[in-house]
């Protein structure tokens, strides 16, 4: 597995702080600017949040953490 970019590490730290099973957090980056997050089935609700607010907050943090560029970073939460 390749090393994570700063965006990937940010998502990993945030996700591990939110879930009950931090060892099950898996972050991958299939392409630059795109981060995929996978957590234990019991923790998926904690990462998404009520009405998707937690997931949107993580996406906002990713946008704020990146330099201005042509594309916004993309976060996919994988089941």
């Amino acid at each position: 597995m390749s090393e994570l970019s700063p965006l990937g590490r940010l998502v990993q730290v945030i996700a591990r702080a939110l879930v009950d099973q931090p060892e099950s957090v898996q972050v991958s980056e299939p392409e630059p600017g795109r981060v995929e997050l996978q957590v234990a089935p019991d923790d998926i609700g904690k990462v998404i949040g009520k009405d998707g607010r937690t997931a949107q907050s993580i996406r906002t943090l990713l946008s704020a953490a990146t330099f201005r560029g042509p594309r916004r970073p993309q976060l996919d939460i994988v089941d």
Side-chain angles (χ1 to χ4, degrees), residues 26-71:
Q26 296 178 351
V27 177
S28 62
E29 298 175 339
E31 60 188 55
R34 183 172 169 218
V35 180
E36 290 184 349
L37 171 63
Q38 188 171 6
V39 297
D42 294 341
D43 289 331
I44 194 86
K46 291 181 174 147
V47 173
I48 294 175
K50 187 174 185 178
D51 294 328
R53 289 183 184 149
T54 303
Q56 187 57 43
S57 296
I58 296 170
R59 289 183 177 107
T60 301
L61 287 171
L62 282 180
S63 293
T66 59
F67 295 103
R68 286 201 179 272
R71 291 186 50 186

